[in-house]
Every structure is written in structure tokens, then in C-alpha cells.
Amino acid sequence: MANATLASALLEQFMAEMKTTGHMEHTLPKGYTPTWAEQQWFALFEGRNEAVTFGIIAFVVHQAVYYGRYLPYLICDYIPAMRKYKLQPDKEISDELWWKCLRSLLTSQIFVQLPMMMFFLPAAKMVGFECGAPFPAWGRVAFQVAVFFVIEDFYHYWAHRLFHYGVFYKHIHKVHHEHTAPFGIVAEYAHPLETAILGQGTIAGPLLFNYFIEQVHITTMLIWIPARLWQTVEAHCGYDFPWAASHWLPFWAGAPHHDYHHMAFVDNFASTFSWWDRVFGTDRRFQAYEARRQQKAKAD
């Protein structure tokens, strides 16, 4: 009975937050003079439904970064001199496969991800996210985003590893593995259930961090989401450029790490860092393969 009452109260609170309309005077401390950036931010919500407005802002940012990050790789696909950096140069991406991927992506992004973004602000408020002024210092934002990467990577390693077992792979994760030679936008090409479940690492991580560790400002999400998108599109880009972060940033997995996973259908389950695969021995075959690939590249 007590659990039912609590659930009912939480649902009622959530629905109330879904209906909240923005008013700048309610978000500013008494006597506080907002910066220009803060004024512009709060003006976006003035007189509008806050949950819907934030969802739309997050969605626009998501789409701009996701496809904008992919654009340089798409251009490289049409430059013959860039082909030497391809991880699987012998595999071609057909127009049919590319358009199928894009259609599926847009459907998922509109009907799965957009609703999740609409629901985020009410959930964030319920766990105590800061939504007013002042905005957080850049140092604090950078620290929190770095921690979010670590949380998401740990969650992704185990959830992704689970998706490679039996029924989970056959009926859910196999969709993502239709692409054995990935290209940037393949990052979010997946079964709707996989999108929702793996997406919890990106969304639930900050919620849990805020609840258990320290307060997060809602605007930090608009730094974290682009950072995560930047990383995942790179991991699926299919290129190994000499300037890529995996060549100079310790434990950054990068495209070679994840490209092998698509090619071989095994191992390398982490999203961002290579340490969990190293600790649990799920990169041994990759290490042997990568040594051979590097040796061949030097010989050529």
C-alpha cells in the first residue's frame, strides 16, 4: 500500500512538472542580474511549456551535432586520398544501405529519442537538478561531463555485453550489426529497445550523479549530449586518422576499437574507453588483430 501511494505521488509530481510553464522571475535569485547568456536561455522558456521546450532544444542540438559530426567523414568517402585511412577499405557502402540507415535513424530519433528528451526535464527536476541562475562554472561542467563519460562507459560495457547473448542478440542487437563496416551515422542505427536501454547510460547517468553525488545544472546536459555524440560518431566513422584521439589520449578506444567489434561481431564492448575490455580480457583478439593491421600498414 505504501509503495503504491509513493508511486502515485511520484507520478502526480511528474505530471505536474510536465505541465510547468516558464517564468523568468521564478528562476532568478532575488536581486540577481543575469548574464546575457542566462537571459537568452530563460527567454526561450518564458510563457512556454518547459518540458516540451527543453525537449525541442535538446533534439535540435542532438540532430545538429550528430549529422554535423558525420559530415566530414561523408566528405572523406568521396576523396580518394582519404581511402588509405579506411579501416575496412575493401568494403563498400551501397546507396541502398545508406538510405535505409538514414530512414531508420530519423524514425527512431523522432519517435523514440524525442519523447525521451521531452520527459527528461521533469525527471531531472524531481531528482534535484538546478534549473535556475547562475549557470555553473566551466570547470565544474568539464568535471561532471568527464565523470558522465566514465559512468556511461561502465554501463555501456555491461549492457552491450548482455546484448551479445542469445535472445538479446537475435531479436534486438542484431539490427545494429547489420553494418559490418560502420560509417558515422550507424552509431544510433539500432532496435528501438536497444536505443532506449543503452540510452539510459547517457540519460540516467547524470540523474544518478545528481541524486547521489552533487547537483547538476540542466544546461550541462547540452554540453554532455554533444560530447557523447561526438565520441560515438567518431567510434563508428570507419576511419583511423593519425590525429585521432585514440593515438594520443590514453585509454581512448576510438574507431579501430569499435570497428573491429562490427567486423568480428565479438569483444570490445565498451563505448568510450578501452580499460574495461582490457581488465576483463574482452580485447585480446582485437589486440592481436590490431598488431597485424599496424604491421601491414607500415609495410605498405
Side-chain angles (χ1 to χ4, degrees), residues 9 12 20 40 42 55 82 96-97 122 129 132 173 189 193 196 226 235 238 288:
E12 185 177 345
T20 301
Q40 302 310 306
F42 295 124
M82 294 291 105
E96 181 183 0
L97 195 64
F129 262 57
H173 192 51
Y189 179 83
L193 277 176

Side-chain angles (χ1 to χ4, degrees), residues 1 4 13 20 26 29 32 47 62 69 90 99 110 125 127 155 168 173 194 209 248 267 270-271:
M1 184 66 180
Q13 182 184 355
T20 301
H26 296 163
Y32 177 79
H62 175 282
R69 175 62 166 139
D90 57 323
W99 283 108
I110 293 170
K125 285 184 174 181
V127 298
Y155 172 86
F168 299 109
H173 192 51
E194 178 173 345
F209 180 89
W248 53 268
D267 300 342
S271 58

Side-chain angles (χ1 to χ4, degrees), residues 177-191:
H177 275 279
E178 288 176 14
H179 298 275
T180 57
F183 50 96
I185 54 172
V186 167
E188 291 186 349
Y189 179 83
H191 189 285

Side-chain angles (χ1 to χ4, degrees), residues 94-106:
S94 68
D95 289 343
E96 181 183 0
L97 195 64
W98 192 93
W99 283 108
K100 178 187 176 185
C101 177
L102 183 61
R103 286 193 298 270
S104 176
L105 277 173
L106 292 174

Side-chain angles (χ1 to χ4, degrees), residues 63-84:
Q63 298 302 92
V65 174
Y66 188 75
Y67 292 103
R69 175 62 166 139
Y70 170 59
L71 185 58
Y73 300 120
L74 177 62
I75 294 172
C76 285
D77 287 342
Y78 293 92
I79 302 176
M82 294 291 105
R83 195 163 187 83
K84 64 183 178 181

Side-chain angles (χ1 to χ4, degrees), residues 120-137:
F120 182 80
L121 184 60
K125 285 184 174 181
M126 289 176 67
V127 298
F129 262 57
E130 174 58 58
C131 297
F135 284 173

